[in-house]
Amino acid sequence: MENSYKFFENKDCKYHPCHKDIDEINCLFCYCPMYYLKSCPGTPEYIERAGKTIKNCTNCTFPHKAENYDKVIAVLKHANS
């Protein structure tokens, strides 16, 4: 794969595949580094529990798509500057 440093798939992981409807899963962002952001380019859902809002990224595949690597890095650079 071109730019292979941007993609890693661990097919031996007991949770693989962690998302449905995606052929290749980029495991570099297994735990989404954008979870803490109020606004991210993914598709999170928000759940209300005990008076708190919880960000649920279970159905979001944005960070797991190889073509989004540069977008994730750009978001993180912007968020931390």
Side-chain angles (χ1 to χ4, degrees):
M1 171 181 273
E2 186 177 335
N3 297 319
S4 61
Y5 67 93
K6 297 180 180 182
F7 185 87
F8 168 75
E9 186 170 13
N10 182 5
K11 292 182 179 182
D12 292 330
C13 176
K14 69 179 185 176
Y15 301 108
H16 189 277
C18 57
H19 294 279
K20 297 175 183 169
D21 302 326
I22 183 171
D23 294 329
E24 294 181 321
I25 296 174
N26 189 355
C27 299
L28 285 176
F29 302 121
C30 175
Y31 294 98
C32 184
M34 299 179 293
Y35 179 80
Y36 71 97
L37 299 175
K38 288 183 180 182
S39 176
C40 68
T43 54
E45 298 171 1
Y46 293 91
I47 302 168
E48 294 292 329
R49 292 262 165 87
K52 293 184 179 183
T53 302
I54 301 168
K55 187 176 185 180
N56 176 5
C57 303
T58 303
N59 296 317
C60 179
T61 59
F62 185 86
H64 297 297
K65 294 181 180 178
E67 65 268 19
N68 291 336
Y69 174 89
D70 290 323
K71 294 172 189 168
V72 171
I73 298 302
V75 168
L76 296 176
K77 283 181 181 179
H78 183 268
N80 293 316
S81 57

